[in-house]
């Protein structure tokens, strides 16, 4: 059995996507394991889920730093300490800067069909716009806000009496399944990026010296 891919998962809230990854990783054939959970705030359920699973956690609060650049450097250093093969932003509510993006592949999950409704309030914005179909997107983060190359999407219906919480829970049911599937495939199969297109299946990401995971061409 080859070595399991190392995931650092970043959270800012309830952490149900994190929990789905923790649950999936109990099967050795999944090929990935969560080695640390990071957050931008204390006292969230996502951190409690990690602690219950005996996974190391760290918190880097933006307000503890004089500048955004200092926070960017600090969270990148915390992530680097765990030597991830893949960073997963699962409800993490801060835009990651170059120190993280330049060092690691960062996967993000968003509760809307990008490029529609990017940002911190995708579910609220879709509902307010009156769309009849929304969904979720798994993508590679780049320096923009939800502008990175899209890996997978799945549509979710908007029902007449939906409020933001009801719709978001319907989306999250789909999102957790999609995220677990894509993370597992990326770690087991690797990926390449050609322009905006992500191709899965280019060889295992877990580095054993001469291998490489995600590659841009
Ligand atoms: N470099 C990137 N970092 C992150 C991305 C990304 O696409 N590129 N995605 C986000 C997750 N996200 C949407 O999926 C998202 C989260 C938060 C925001 C935002 O406006 N954050 C504000 C602060 C909001 C707060 O503290 O409540 C900010 O960072 O100043 C936009 C999009 C994860 N990181
Ligand atoms: N723009 C970022 C964003 O809105 N992310 C969303 O936050 C939720 C976190 O849920 P969780 O903490 O239960 O996994 C998820 O639906 C995720 O897509």
């Amino acid at each position: 059995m080859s070595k399991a891919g190392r995931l650092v998962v970043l959270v800012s809230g309830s952490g149900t996507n994190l929990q789905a990854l923790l649950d999936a990783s109990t099967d050795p054939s999944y090929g990935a394991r969560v080695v640390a959970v990071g957050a931008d705030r204390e006292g969230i359920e996502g951190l409690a889920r990690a602690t219950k699973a005996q996974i190391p956690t760290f918190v880097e609060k933006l307000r503890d730093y004089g500048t955004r650049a200092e926070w960017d450097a600090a969270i990148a250093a915390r992530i680097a300490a765990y030597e991830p093969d893949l960073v997963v932003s699962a409800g993490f509510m801060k835009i990651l800067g170059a120190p993280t993006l330049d060092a690691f592949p960062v996967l993000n999950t968003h509760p809307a069909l990008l490029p529609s409704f990017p940002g911190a309030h995708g579910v609220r914005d879709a509902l307010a716009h009156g769309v009849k179909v929304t969904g979720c997107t798994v993508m590679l983060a780049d320096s923009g806000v939800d502008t990175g190359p899209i890996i997978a999407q799945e549509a979710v219906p908007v029902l007449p009496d939906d409020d933001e919480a009801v719709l978001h829970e319907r989306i999250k049911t789909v999102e957790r399944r999609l995220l677990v599937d894509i993370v597992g495939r990326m770690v087991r199969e690797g990926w390449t990026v050609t322009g905006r297109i992500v191709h899965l299946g280019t060889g295992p990401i877990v580095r054993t010296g001469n291998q490489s995971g995600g590659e841009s061409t």
Side-chain angles (χ1 to χ4, degrees):
M1 169 60 68
S2 61
K3 187 171 66 169
R6 298 171 61 84
L7 306 176
V8 169
V9 181
L10 302 177
V11 296
S12 293
S14 54
T16 64
N17 279 284
L18 163 65
Q19 190 62 57
L21 291 170
L22 291 172
D23 295 344
S25 62
T26 60
D27 180 350
S29 67
Y30 183 59
R33 66 189 180 98
V34 180
V35 296
V37 173
D40 61 335
R41 59 198 78 183
E42 300 278 6
I44 55 171
E45 191 177 357
L47 292 172
R49 293 177 189 274
T51 299
K52 183 177 180 182
Q54 298 181 307
I55 304 287
T57 62
F58 60 87
V59 177
E60 289 296 341
K61 298 191 286 283
L62 180 59
R63 68 169 177 268
D64 289 347
Y65 294 88
T67 67
R68 184 88 186 213
E70 288 171 305
W71 178 83
D72 282 334
I75 198 160
R78 300 300 295 275
I79 293 167
Y82 293 95
E83 299 179 318
D85 296 299
L86 183 64
V87 177
V88 181
S89 164
F92 187 63
M93 299 305 285
K94 286 292 189 295
I95 300 304
L96 292 161
T100 298
L101 299 172
D102 292 349
F104 312 103
V106 177
L107 195 70
N108 182 54
T109 183
H110 182 73
L113 294 176
L114 293 173
S116 297
F117 313 117
H121 306 289
V123 179
R124 181 197 69 185
D125 296 344
L127 202 57
H129 192 84
V131 297
K132 304 311 175 187
V133 177
T134 187
C136 51
T137 301
V138 177
M139 31 83 69
L140 285 171
D142 65 10
S143 58
V145 177
D146 298 329
T147 54
I150 292 168
I151 301 170
Q153 294 184 297
E154 189 163 328
V156 173
V158 181
L159 302 181
D161 298 332
D162 278 348
D163 61 21
E164 182 180 355
V166 167
L167 177 54
H168 201 166
E169 281 309 311
R170 187 177 310 119
I171 293 169
K172 285 168 95 171
T173 301
V174 173
E175 177 181 39
R176 289 189 286 262
R177 170 174 48 75
L178 197 62
L179 182 67
V180 165
D181 176 46
I182 294 301
V183 167
R185 290 172 62 193
M186 289 179 75
V187 171
R188 295 191 303 270
E189 303 168 17
W191 73 95
T192 57
V193 183
T194 305
R196 286 194 57 82
I197 307 301
V198 181
H199 303 273
L200 300 184
T202 56
I205 180 179
V206 178
R207 289 166 176 75
T208 58
N210 58 352
Q211 278 178 326
S212 62
E215 297 170 355
S216 294
T217 57

